[in-house]
Amino acid sequence: MIERRNRPRRLRDTSTQYLEQVVLTLRSEPHKISVIKSNCDYYQKQRFLKKGFQRAVEHMQWVLAVDDDIDRICKQIMSDDYIGTRLRKYPLLFKGVNT
């Protein structure tokens, strides 16, 4: 039997701190959702994009398509499920929210 070694998880890296700031900004300024939507549209039109990033854009569009509930969107971004991990892997989706 092969023993699996799990890499220790870093709790506070810079991308996590950045995304926590994004979540705080979204909760205080809900109109910034339009920035995320425009980022998704911009990256979806790119011709050559990594497949993982394309998937993240699709997942973000699914999250935004359900409704405009800020709390639900923020919980989904920070959740530890497949979609949340995929979204946090590409912080370019949230570019311009903290400005």
Side-chain angles (χ1 to χ4, degrees), residues 23-68:
V23 167
L24 289 174
T25 304
L26 284 175
R27 286 195 171 138
S28 64
E29 302 173 39
H31 66 277
K32 297 269 184 153
I33 287 291
S34 62
V35 174
I36 298 175
K37 289 179 182 179
S38 65
N39 286 344
C40 287
D41 292 338
Y42 172 76
Y43 288 118
Q44 191 174 30
K45 292 176 185 174
Q46 297 298 314
R47 192 167 185 187
F48 300 105
L49 205 61
K50 287 175 34 177
K51 193 162 263 193
F53 193 63
Q54 289 174 350
R55 277 288 161 92
V57 170
E58 288 176 10
H59 290 309
M60 190 70 220
Q61 288 176 331
W62 293 345
V63 168
L64 295 175
V66 173
D67 61 8
D68 288 334

Side-chain angles (χ1 to χ4, degrees), residues 75-91:
K75 285 179 186 176
Q76 184 63 53
I77 292 170
M78 297 308 288
S79 69
D80 283 331
D81 62 353
Y82 176 76
I83 294 176
T85 326
R86 175 76 56 185
L87 295 178
R88 287 192 309 273
K89 190 174 180 180
Y90 299 100

